[in-house]
């Protein structure tokens, strides 16, 4: 189970980096357009996170899982996912939606590192 956990962890990290990178490529673009990869990477990060939670107790038997942190991170990723699905087929992406997605991604990283 430790191997599955580590693979899911690696996939999760790569997906979060991909989300951040794809959103940051739109900084200087006007009008902004949402890359469909953001939605795919967000969904993959969510699934990898679920796999990590499911294998936690067997991969890390001496540690206690922080369910509050997992709940908050799940809500943040779900919000990014909903914003992505709502705007992926639109011709232009509002700057406020782009900034919200970027802010939520950075918040998710901060929660993962600090809590």
């Amino acid at each position: 189970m430790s191997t599955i956990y580590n693979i899911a962890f690696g996939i999760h990290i790569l997906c979060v980096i991909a989300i951040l990178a794809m959103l940051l490529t739109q900084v200087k673009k006007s009008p902004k357009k949402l890359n469909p990869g953001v939605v795919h990477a967000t969904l993959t990060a969510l699934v990898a996170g679920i796999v990590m939670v499911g294998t936690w107790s067997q991969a890390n038997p001496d540690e206690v899982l922080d369910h509050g942190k997992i709940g908050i991170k799940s809500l943040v990723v779900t919000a990014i996912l909903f914003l992505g699905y709502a705007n992926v087929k639109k011709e232009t992406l509002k700057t406020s939606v782009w900034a919200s997605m970027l802010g939520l991604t950075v918040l998710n990283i901060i929660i993962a590192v600090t809590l």
Side-chain angles (χ1 to χ4, degrees):
M1 272 312 155
S2 176
T3 304
I4 294 172
Y5 175 84
N6 289 330
I7 290 170
F9 181 72
I11 291 170
H12 186 76
I13 295 296
L14 288 174
C15 287
V16 172
I17 291 170
I19 295 165
L20 187 62
M22 285 185 269
L23 288 172
L24 287 175
T25 59
Q26 298 293 316
V27 168
K28 294 193 178 197
K29 293 190 178 175
S30 180
K32 295 180 185 343
K33 177 145 177 56
L34 184 62
N35 185 337
V38 172
V39 177
H40 296 293
T42 305
L43 186 58
T44 305
L46 180 63
V47 170
I50 291 168
V51 170
M52 287 167 51
V53 169
T55 59
W56 176 267
S57 63
Q58 293 179 353
N60 304 304
D62 298 335
E63 297 180 35
V64 177
L65 184 62
D66 185 358
H67 294 284
K69 178 179 179 178
I70 300 302
I72 293 169
K73 284 181 58 63
S74 297
L75 286 174
V76 170
V77 169
T78 304
I80 297 169
L81 194 58
F82 281 143
L83 286 172
Y85 274 127
N87 292 286
V88 73
K89 292 189 178 181
K90 293 183 178 178
E91 287 294 318
T92 60
L93 181 65
K94 291 182 182 178
T95 303
S96 60
V97 174
W98 171 81
S100 297
M101 292 178 77
L102 184 61
L104 287 168
T105 304
V106 171
L107 175 66
N108 206 8
I109 294 168
I110 290 170
I111 291 169
V113 172
T114 58
L115 293 180

